[in-house]
RNA sequence: GCCCCCUUAGCUCAGUAGGAUAGAGCACAGGAUUCCUAAUCCUGGUGUCAGAGGUUCGAAUCCUCUAGGGGGCACCA
């Protein structure tokens, strides 16, 4: 269907006009045709002519095209196209011949993009919100990669500063407790059971080695050991979830390797930092932020913002054309200062885009599950994956756009029924595989079917299915441009929503060898798109269910 | 107090970059399987797009105000 864009663009240019993009949409009602465009209406103003008149002219110059069966002008100036069956079948053949690669349009340029996501503090296990960020980030990375960009996925490790110190001290306190020593548990310390467990393991390993040694002296060990273990947990949890990073960037290393100093020195020499009240400030307000921000406190220690500046500077040094940060929505107030940093570093602020992922409220059977981080009682991502499965969890995360609240009901997610759309989609795939197996039993080899068998396809349900298949490139393009993987999820439900009824009304395997072949080929294309789209989302395509 | 986001069917949400009569799933009721997997299908209806103004040939979509919900304000992380 996407070919229409070029056709329309050419027709528009024959009128001596131009459109920034050709908008194509699938009309709600089939009677309006297969696909339509409102370009004539958008051209009305620049051309100072009636939209319907413009539409008539575009229609006139396109109706001879072999791909187009008919083109009508309707309503205020819509152009409604009906695609010829011949052309649809040719397109089907092309898909069968060239596979999924011909479903994704080439991007206008090949970009190097970096996506940073999850980046949870290594102070405890991941919770559901992190999972949402992971699902969105990974799907977005797949999407951009599939669209031809070079993508790097990175996890930023906050292993310097107060939080990991607090982690170390919490473990230290539990360790002391093991040996009956009093040590005041740090205020805001981490109280989860995993801390006590870790302290227990350490106690078994090292015995009383750190008893009688102050935290100031022993802290290094507990901090290092704690962050390492937490990071291992995070990494394995993400792997279980099916999310793998290309790179893990340690904040601490930004300091020890001198990158923070180098970056700040550079900014300072350019006059973008200044001293006031004994602290070092970044002139964020010169670059669009509300106020200036401290990077080095008057006690000489760095704020997190300091390493964030250096981190983004470092990303730019590494030569990316585009940086994408995926943050929890509660960090939205941080965006202006980060954008200010990008501009101060001499880059277009559009180089950095921040995708905010909204909070997840966890329910069980309609009732909210209390999540209290302070008490350490919260449901972890791992627990949810174990209970409902990684595919389902991801799918639910990807059925909403990132920036909208999400209700995650564990009981609903667990149901293996139609309340659970992921099964609906996966079942379509499994059903197709099942038909292949049946076909094989009857001695029909998919590879042996000649492509021209597809001329036997003629049922309206078959044409509808075929049109939906050929719509995929358009959906993909939209999702790619908007950086919105959830559009793929909705498309999948629509595709499955055409397949299942088709399956129920028309038998694929029949006595008619030609028709059987034709239908198997159609299923081949459905299968191809299902697998392609599922792989973008990072969701498996099961052979059987 | 200031700033950001959200408000669409009973519920959960889509609605693409301002386009046609605003959609889907679930829930609810009834029905379908001698035949490729019933995790399926078929048939039933539902809206003050939070409210009020404005811009536009055209607004759920853009602007202003109001109400409700969430989030953020630091030499915290």
């Amino acid at each position: 269907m996407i070919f229409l864009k070029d056709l329309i663009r050419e027709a528009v240019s024959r009128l001596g006009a131009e459109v920034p993009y050709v908008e194509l949409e699938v009309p709600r009602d089939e009677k309006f045709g297969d696909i339509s465009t409102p370009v004539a209406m958008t051209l009305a103003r620049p051309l100072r002519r009636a939209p319907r008149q413009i539409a008539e002219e575009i229609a006139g110059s396109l109706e001879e095209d072999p791909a187009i069966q008919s083109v009508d002008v309707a309503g205020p100036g819509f152009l409604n196209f009906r695609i010829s069956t011949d052309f649809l079948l040719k397109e089907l053949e092309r898909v069968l011949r060239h596979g999924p690669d011909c479903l994704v349009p080439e991007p206008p340029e090949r970009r190097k993009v970096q996506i940073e996501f999850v980046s949870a503090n290594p102070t405890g296990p991941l919770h559901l919100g992190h999972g949402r960020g992971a699902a969105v980030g990974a799907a977005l990375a797949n999407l951009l990669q599939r669209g031809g960009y070079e993508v790097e996925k990175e996890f930023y490790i906050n292993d310097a500063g107060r939080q990991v110190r607090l982690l170390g001290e919490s473990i230290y306190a539990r360790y002391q407790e093991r040996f009956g020593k009093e040590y005041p548990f740090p205020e805001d310390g981490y109280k989860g059971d995993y801390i006590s467990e870790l302290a227990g393991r350490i106690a078994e390993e090292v015995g009383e080695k750190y008893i009688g040694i102050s935290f100031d002296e022993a802290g290094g060990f507990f901090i290092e050991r704690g962050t390492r273990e937490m990071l291992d947990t995070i990494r394995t949890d993400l792997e279980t979830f099916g999310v793998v990073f290309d790179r893990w960037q340690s904040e601490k290393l930004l300091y020890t390797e001198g990158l923070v100093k180098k970056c700040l020195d550079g900014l300072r020499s350019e006059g973008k930092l200044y001293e006031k009240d004994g602290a070092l400030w970044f002139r964020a307000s010169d670059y669009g932020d509300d106020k200036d921000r401290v990077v080095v406190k008057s006690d000489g220690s760095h704020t997190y913002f300091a390493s964030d500046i250096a981190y983004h500077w470092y990303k730019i040094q590494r030569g990316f054309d585009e940086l994408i940060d995926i943050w929890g929505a509660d960090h939205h107030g941080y965006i202006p200062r980060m954008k200010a940093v990008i501009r101060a570093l001499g880059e277009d602020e559009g180089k950095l885009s921040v995708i905010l992922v909204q909070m997840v409220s966890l329910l069980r059977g309609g009732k909210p599950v209390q999540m209290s981080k302070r008490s350490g009682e919260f449901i972890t991502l791992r627990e949810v994956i174990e209970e409902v499965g990684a595919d389902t969890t991801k799918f639910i995360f990807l059925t909403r756009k990132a920036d909208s609240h999400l209700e995650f009901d564990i009981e609903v997610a667990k149901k293996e029924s139609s309340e659970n759309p992921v099964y609906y989609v996966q079942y379509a795939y499994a059903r197709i595989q099942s038909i292949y197996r049946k076909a094989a039993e009857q001695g029909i080899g998919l590879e042996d079917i000649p492509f021209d068998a597809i001329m036997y396809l003629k049922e309206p349900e078959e044409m509808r299915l075929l049109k939906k298949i050929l719509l995929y490139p358009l959906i993909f393009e939209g999702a790619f441009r908007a950086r919105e993987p959830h559009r793929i999820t909705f498309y999948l439900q629509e595709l499955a929503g055409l397949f299942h009824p088709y399956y129920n009304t028309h038998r694929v395997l029949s006595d008619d060898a030609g028709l059987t072949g034709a239908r198997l080929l159609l299923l081949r294309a459905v299968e191809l798109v299902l697998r392609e789209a599922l792989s973008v989302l990072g969701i498996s395509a099961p052979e059987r269910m």
Side-chain angles (χ1 to χ4, degrees), chain A residues 102-117:
Chain A
C102 69
L103 295 172
V104 290
E106 279 296 306
E109 46 173 339
R110 185 169 173 80
R111 284 192 183 201
K112 221 179 135 188
V113 181
Q114 202 246 22
I115 307 184
E116 182 222 322
F117 58 111

Side-chain angles (χ1 to χ4, degrees), chain A residues 331-356:
Chain A
H331 290 76
H332 70 82
Y334 215 76
I335 296 176
R337 82 186 68 168
M338 219 55 244
K339 291 266 188 188
V341 167
I342 300 299
R343 291 180 61 197
L345 292 171
E347 303 287 337
D348 187 302
E349 70 163 54
K351 188 159 194 164
L352 170 72
S353 45
V354 178
I355 293 176
L356 296 177

Side-chain angles (χ1 to χ4, degrees), chain A residues 186-205:
Chain A
E187 205 180 327
D188 304 326
Y190 295 95
K191 292 181 181 159
D193 290 341
Y194 62 95
I195 298 288
S196 308
E197 283 162 23
L198 177 51
R201 260 182 286 142
I202 291 174
E204 274 175 37
E205 275 173 41

Side-chain angles (χ1 to χ4, degrees), chain A residues 188-257:
Chain A
D188 304 326
Y190 295 95
K191 292 181 181 159
D193 290 341
Y194 62 95
I195 298 288
S196 308
E197 283 162 23
L198 177 51
R201 260 182 286 142
I202 291 174
E204 274 175 37
E205 275 173 41
V206 306
E208 301 191 11
K209 187 174 172 188
Y210 296 103
I211 296 300
I213 297 178
S214 72
F215 182 67
D216 280 347
E217 281 177 86
F221 168 78
F222 286 93
I223 294 169
E224 193 278 330
R225 177 67 190 270
T227 30
R228 187 157 43 91
E229 297 233 1
M230 290 306 128
L231 215 49
D232 279 348
T233 314
I234 289 172
R235 199 190 313 252
T236 43
D237 285 0
L238 286 169
E239 271 169 24
T240 310
F241 196 39
V243 174
V244 178
F245 284 85
D246 301 310
R247 208 167 169 281
W248 297 68
Q249 174 63 47
S250 154
E251 179 190 12
K252 204 163 132 190
L253 281 181
L254 293 177
Y255 284 103
T256 56
E257 292 182 352

Side-chain angles (χ1 to χ4, degrees), chain A residues 11 37 48 62 77 134 200 213 327 384 396 398 466:
Chain A
T37 179
R48 296 170 54 109
L62 288 178
I213 297 178
W327 296 348
V384 173
I396 291 172
L398 295 170
L466 180 48

